[in-house]
Amino acid sequence: MSRGQDALHDSREQALKRFRLLHNTASLRAGWLEKRLRFQEELLPLVEARMAGTAAGDTAPRARAVIATAFACLDAASMTWVDNDGEGELMDLYDECLAAVRG
C-alpha cells in the first residue's frame, strides 16, 4: 500500500480498518457511492475532451464506460485488499484489475 496510500493513512492497519468500515457499513457505502457518482459526472467533460479526437460520434457513452470501469476496478481492488487482510499493494491490485478488463 505504499504508492500514495501512506499520504492518506498513518498506517496499513489504519487504512485496512477504514476500508473495512466503508465496505461493511451500508450507510457509509451508500454515501460513498453517491459521492463517487457525482465525481464521475464531474469527470465526464474531461474524459470526453480527451476522447474527442479518437473516433467519430458521440463520446459520452464511451467516456462514461471508461470512468465507470476505472471506479469498478478500484472497488474490486479495495474489496480484494480488505478480503486479504491488507496483504499486498492496493495499487498493484488496481493495476491487476485494469489488466483483467483490458483482456
Side-chain angles (χ1 to χ4, degrees), residues 27-92:
S27 60
L28 292 177
R29 193 165 172 93
W32 168 243
L33 179 59
E34 184 178 325
K35 185 180 213 177
R36 193 176 77 199
L37 290 172
R38 284 193 311 268
F39 185 53
Q40 286 178 235
E41 286 301 311
E42 292 171 8
L43 285 173
L44 185 60
L46 300 172
V47 175
E48 281 184 297
R50 292 202 65 183
M51 296 179 83
T54 62
D58 185 15
T59 58
R62 292 181 292 121
R64 286 180 194 281
V66 167
I67 294 167
T69 299
F71 279 101
C73 288
L74 180 59
D75 284 342
S78 66
M79 285 187 275
T80 300
W81 189 75
V82 168
D83 287 346
N84 292 337
D85 292 323
E87 291 297 318
E89 301 296 327
L90 182 57
M91 292 309 296
D92 290 343

Side-chain angles (χ1 to χ4, degrees), residues 11-31:
S11 68
R12 180 178 294 269
E13 293 77 27
Q14 181 190 45
L16 183 58
K17 186 176 179 179
R18 288 181 178 169
F19 274 96
R20 274 195 181 122
L21 187 63
L22 177 65
H23 286 291
N24 295 324
T25 306
S27 60
L28 292 177
R29 193 165 172 93

